C-alpha cells in the first residue's frame, strides 16, 4: 500500500453489519483485497450511491477510487472471500470467490441490507490458477448490462463503480485491469448450498438455510417446517426471473449453479447478450458449444439447477431420505406450471391484455413462431406493435402476420379497457432500447482507448428503455444482417 492508503477509517456513508461473517467458519475466508498501483474512477453510479445513502460526492473522487479499488478499507468492513461450489456446464467443482472480496453488508438508511463486493480484487485461497483480476472490458460490460436490466425492471445485482487499477492483466493479450463494485441483495447461490452439502454437516447446512430464510424469505420464519417452503419460494423467484429474461430476449450465457442467486436476482454477467432476431436456439457465448444455455433452454436449466439445490436440502426435507425425496420431487414438479404462469402473464401485458383468456399463451406463441420464421427482430417487432399505425415492413405486410393481427385485434376488442390504455401497457413492457450487442462492444472498445463518451451515451439511453427519445433512436436500431454471428467471450 502507498502512503495515502494508511488504515485511517473512512466512513463515506457506509453502515456495515456483516452477518455473513458471523456464519460458521468454513463458509468464508477472511482475506484482504490486494492493493493496486493506480486506482482511477472510470464510471460511478451516482443515483445508486444516493439510493444507498452513501456519500456520492466523496466516493466519486480519489478517496472513493482508493476504497473501491480495495486499497483502503472503509470503517466497518470485514473483507471475506465466500466459499461455494457449483455445477459448471453440468460438472461439479469446488469454487469460491477467486477474484472477488465481500467488503461487508451495508444497511441503507431505509433498512435494506446489501452486499458490497469488489470483483477483480486480487488472489484469494480460492483463486486456483487464476490471477484474481479482471479486465476493464468485462467489468464495464457487467456494469452496462446489470444497469440496463435494472432499468428494464428485472431483479438484478447492481453496479456502483468501475475503477481502473493502473495495472495490466494478461489474457490472450495484455489488457487494462479494473475492479467492479457489485451491489447485491446477497451472494448466496445454489453453489453455496452445494458447498455446504459437500463440506459441512447437517447443523451448518441448517444454519445456512435459516440464514437464507432470515435474509430473503422472512415470511417463512413462522412456518413449522420452513425448508420445503424455502425450496418452493426459491423456485418461484427463479421461475419469475427466467420468465422476465425471456420477455426481454436476455440470454445469461453461463447459468451454472454458482451463478444462480437464491434471492432471485440476475447475477454474474459474463458472456451474456440480448437476442436480435427471434430464435430460441440463440447462443452467443463462445464457450457454450452444445447450446446448453441457449435462450430457449433457460427455463429447463433453471429447473435443473433447482434440482441441484433441492438435493442439497434433502437432509432438512424429511425424516427419511425417501420422504425427503418425495417432498422435493413434488415441489420441483411444479416448476413447469409456475414458470408458465409467469411467462404467460408477462406476454399478456406485452400484448396489451389485461385479463386472462384460455388461448392467450397460444396467441403469444403464434406471434413468436411468425417472428422465428421471418427472422424478425424480437425487441423491435414488439415495440412496433405498440404503435397505432404499424410500420410498412415486410414482416407486418406478410400473410401470416395479417392473419395473426386479425386474431389479436379481436382479442383486444373483447376487453373493456380502451385501446389507448392497452398501448400504454404495451409501451411499459416492450422496451425500445436494450443493450444491443454491437453498441455495447463499441462502447467498451472506445473506453479501452480512453474515450468514455460512447459509454456515457449508451448508459444514458439504457436508463430510459421504455421511452421513444429521438436522441436515443440509434440505440433502438436492430443490427444490419451480419455475415459473422455475434459472439461473446467469457468474462474473465
Ligand atoms: P465466473 O466465471 O466469474 O462465474 O467464475 C467462476 C469461478 O472462477 C469463480 O470461482 C471465480 O472466482 C473463478 N475465477 C474466474 N476468473 C478468475 C480469475 N481471474 N482469477 C481467479 N479466479 C477466477
Ligand atoms: Mg460466477
Amino acid at each position: 500500500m502507498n502512503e495515502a492508503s494508511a488504515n485511517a477509517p473512512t466512513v463515506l456513508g457506509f453502515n456495515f453489519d456483516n452477518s455473513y461473517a458471523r456464519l460458521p467458519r468454513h463458509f468464508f475466508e477472511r482475506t484482504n483485497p490486494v492493493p493496486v498501483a493506480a486506482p482511477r474512477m472510470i464510471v460511478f453510479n451516482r443515483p445508486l450511491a444516493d439510493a444507498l445513502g452513501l456519500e456520492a460526492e466523496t466516493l466519486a473522487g480519489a478517496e472513493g477510487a482508493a476504497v473501491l479499488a480495495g486499497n483502503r478499507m472503509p470503517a466497518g468492513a470485514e473483507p471475506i472471500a465466500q466459499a461455494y461450489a457449483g455445477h459448471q456446464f453440468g460438472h461439479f467443482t469446488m469454487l469460491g470467490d477467486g477474484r472477488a472480496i465481500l467488503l461487508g453488508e451495508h444497511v441503507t438508511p431505509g433498512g435494506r441490507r446489501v452486499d458490497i463486493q469488489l470483483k477483480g480484487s486480487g488472489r484469494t485461497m480460492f483463486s486456483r490458477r487464476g490471477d484474481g483480476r479482471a479486465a476493464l472490458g468485462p467489468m464495464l460490460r457487467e456494469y452496462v448490462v446489470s444497469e440496463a436490466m435494472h432499468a428494464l425492471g428485472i431483479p438484478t445485482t447492481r453496479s456502483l463503480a468501475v475503477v481502473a487499477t493502473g495495472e495490466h492483466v494478461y489474457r490472450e493479450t495484455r489488457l487494462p485491469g479494473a475492479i467492479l463494485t457489485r451491489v447485491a441483495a446477497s451472494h448466496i447461490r445454489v453453489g453455496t448450498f452445494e458447498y455446504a452439502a459437500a463440506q459441512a454437516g447437517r447443523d451448518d447446512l441448517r444454519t445456512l438455510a435459516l440464514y437464507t430464510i432470515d435474509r430473503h424469505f422472512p415470511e417463512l420464519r413462522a412456518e413449522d417446517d420452513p425448508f420445503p417452503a424455502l425450496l418452493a419460494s426459491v423456485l418461484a423467484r427463479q421461475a419469475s426471473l427466467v420468465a422476465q429474461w425471456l420477455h426481454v430476449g436476455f440470454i445469461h450465457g453461463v447459468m451454472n449453479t454458482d451463478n444462480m442467486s437464491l434471492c432471485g436476482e440476475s447475477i454474474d454477467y459474463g458472456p451474456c447478450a440480448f437476442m436480435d432476431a427471434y430464435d430460441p436456439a440463440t447462443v452467443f457465448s463462445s464457450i457454450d458449444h452444445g447450446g446448453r444455455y441457449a435462450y430457449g433452454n433457460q427455463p429447463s436449466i433453471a429447473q435443473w439447477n433447482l434440482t441441484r439445490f433441492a438435493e442439497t436440502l434433502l437432509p432438512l426435507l424429511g425424516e427419511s431420505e425417501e420422504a425427503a425425496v418425495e417432498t422435493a420431487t413434488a415441489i420441483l414438479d411444479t416448476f413447469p406450471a409456475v414458470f408458465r404462469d409467469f411467462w404467460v402473464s408477462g406476454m399478456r401485458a406485452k400484448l396489451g391484455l389485461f385479463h386472462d383468456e384460455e388461448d392467450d399463451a397460444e396467441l403469444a406463441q403464434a406471434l413468436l413462431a411468425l417472428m422465428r420464421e421471418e427472422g424478425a427482430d424480437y425487441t423491435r417487432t414488439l415495440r412496433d406493435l405498440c404503435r397505432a399505425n404499424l410500420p410498412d415492413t415486410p414482416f407486418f405486410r406478410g400473410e401470416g402476420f395479417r392473419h395473426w393481427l386479425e386474431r389479436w385485434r379481436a382479442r383486444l376488442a373483447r376487453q373493456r379497457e380502451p385501446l389507448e390504455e392497452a398501448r400504454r401497457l404495451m409501451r411499459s413492457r416492450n422496451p425500445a432500447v436494450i443493450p444491443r450487442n454491437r453498441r455495447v462492444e463499441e462502447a467498451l472498445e472506445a473506453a479501452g482507448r480512453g474515450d468514455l463518451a460512447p459509454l456515457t451515451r449508451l448508459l444514458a439511453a439504457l436508463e430510459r428503455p421504455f421511452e421513444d427519445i429521438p436522441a436515443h433512436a440509434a440505440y433502438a436500431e436492430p443490427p444490419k444482417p451480419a455475415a459473422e454471428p455475434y459472439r461473446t467471450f467469457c468474462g474473465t
Side-chain angles (χ1 to χ4, degrees):
M1 285 202 208
N2 53 38
E3 285 305 303
S5 60
N7 276 331
T10 60
V11 177
L12 301 169
F14 282 114
N15 173 35
F16 284 115
D17 173 53
N18 307 317
S19 63
Y20 206 88
R22 298 194 285 269
L23 283 176
R25 265 234 15 77
H26 43 252
F27 284 117
F28 60 88
E29 188 71 24
R30 292 188 190 274
T31 181
N32 283 304
V34 181
V36 302
R40 186 167 53 90
M41 192 63 76
I42 301 290
V43 260
F44 182 73
N45 193 336
R46 199 172 283 263
L48 177 58
D50 287 337
L52 295 174
L54 300 174
E55 288 167 17
E57 202 56 44
T58 320
L59 264 179
E63 190 179 350
V67 166
L68 300 180
N71 281 19
R72 188 165 176 172
M73 275 302 110
E78 288 179 81
I80 59 173
Q82 292 178 313
Y84 54 89
H87 277 83
Q88 300 191 303
F89 290 91
H91 304 285
F92 183 76
T93 324
M94 295 307 263
L95 296 162
D97 286 332
R99 57 155 169 179
I101 298 275
L102 178 63
L103 290 185
E105 296 147 38
H106 167 69
V107 182
T108 68
R112 198 156 60 89
R113 176 181 298 269
V114 291
D115 277 8
I116 305 290
Q117 194 206 59
L118 304 184
K119 184 169 174 181
S121 53
R123 290 182 54 83
T124 71
M125 70 169 293
F126 304 111
S127 297
R128 294 172 292 168
R129 288 197 310 232
D131 60 2
R133 292 300 186 191
L136 177 64
M139 295 306 99
L140 288 177
R141 167 184 273 279
E142 173 154 344
Y143 187 107
V144 168
V145 184
S146 63
E147 288 306 303
M149 292 291 266
H150 173 74
L152 288 165
I154 298 177
T156 177
T157 63
R158 303 284 306 272
S159 298
L160 181 62
V162 174
V163 177
T165 59
E167 297 174 5
H168 288 107
V169 298
Y170 297 86
R171 300 293 182 257
E172 273 103 64
T173 55
R174 194 175 81 150
L175 300 165
I179 294 173
L180 171 84
T181 305
R182 178 152 76 182
V183 177
S186 85
H187 285 82
I188 308 169
R189 312 142 190 267
V190 170
T192 313
F193 277 80
E194 292 183 278
Y195 173 86
Q199 293 289 312
R202 185 180 181 281
D203 285 351
D204 286 347
L205 176 71
R206 189 165 181 281
T207 301
L208 179 66
L210 290 173
Y211 176 82
T212 305
I213 288 171
D214 255 357
R215 204 160 160 182
H216 298 303
F217 306 95
E219 67 281 5
L220 304 183
R221 276 182 207 146
E223 301 256 336
D224 289 337
D225 189 5
F227 304 117
L230 173 63
L231 176 58
S233 300
V234 169
L235 179 146
R237 290 216 193 153
Q238 279 312 315
S240 165
L241 179 66
V242 173
Q244 292 177 76
W245 287 357
L246 298 199
H247 291 145
V248 296
F250 178 72
I251 305 170
H252 182 284
V254 223
M255 283 178 74
N256 294 333
T257 55
D258 53 303
N259 292 338
M260 183 160 159
S261 171
L262 287 201
C263 67
E265 283 183 342
S266 317
I267 191 169
D268 243 4
Y269 295 88
C272 59
F274 284 72
M275 179 168 68
D276 297 307
Y278 181 77
D279 181 354
T282 306
V283 174
F284 290 113
S285 168
S286 61
I287 55 171
D288 190 1
H289 304 296
R292 179 181 171 89
Y293 299 138
Y295 172 83
N297 279 358
Q298 295 181 115
S300 55
I301 288 292
Q303 188 176 2
W304 192 91
N305 289 349
L306 287 162
T307 307
R308 304 288 81 74
F309 176 54
E311 286 164 1
T312 72
L313 286 184
L314 285 178
L316 306 176
L317 289 180
E319 293 294 304
S320 65
E321 180 161 349
E322 207 182 3
V325 169
E326 198 173 308
T327 299
T329 306
I331 296 168
L332 291 167
D333 285 348
T334 65
F335 183 88
V338 173
F339 170 78
R340 188 184 153 87
D341 280 353
F342 283 120
W343 185 81
V344 179
S345 71
M347 289 310 289
R348 251 186 216 113
K350 287 173 88 70
L351 294 178
L353 306 176
F354 290 91
H355 314 284
D356 307 5
E357 269 191 27
E358 184 79 15
D359 290 342
D360 291 342
E362 212 279 312
L363 182 70
Q365 292 289 8
L367 177 64
L368 295 176
L370 286 170
M371 286 167 66
R372 182 185 192 176
E373 261 167 52
E374 304 292 325
D377 185 82
Y378 177 71
T379 303
R380 169 54 74 89
T381 303
L382 284 164
R383 184 72 184 181
D384 282 344
L385 215 54
C386 310
R387 302 212 231 160
N389 299 308
L390 292 176
D392 186 28
T393 62
F395 180 80
F396 290 121
R397 274 197 306 269
E399 186 68 25
F401 177 77
R402 297 231 303 273
H403 186 75
W404 183 87
L405 186 62
E406 266 171 44
R407 202 178 144 192
W408 179 50
R409 285 189 172 146
R411 173 69 179 84
L412 285 169
R414 283 197 297 277
Q415 60 185 8
R416 220 172 284 127
E417 290 78 2
L419 259 183
E420 200 31 60
E421 220 172 295
R423 285 205 194 92
R424 218 180 354 258
L425 172 63
M426 291 178 72
R427 282 195 301 270
S428 74
R429 299 302 185 92
N430 296 298
V433 183
I434 52 162
R436 297 272 182 188
N437 304 316
R438 284 180 173 79
R439 290 293 184 185
V440 176
E441 286 321 311
E442 166 189 295
L444 302 193
E445 201 250 328
R449 286 185 276 108
D451 175 10
L452 293 174
L455 178 70
T456 307
R457 282 197 299 269
L458 174 63
L459 288 170
L462 292 171
E463 242 172 64
R464 293 156 77 185
F466 297 107
E467 294 170 46
D468 296 303
I469 299 173
H472 298 164
Y475 294 96
E477 276 308 307
K480 308 254 177 308
E484 285 285 303
Y486 182 76
R487 283 280 166 266
T488 55
F489 295 90
C490 199
T492 53

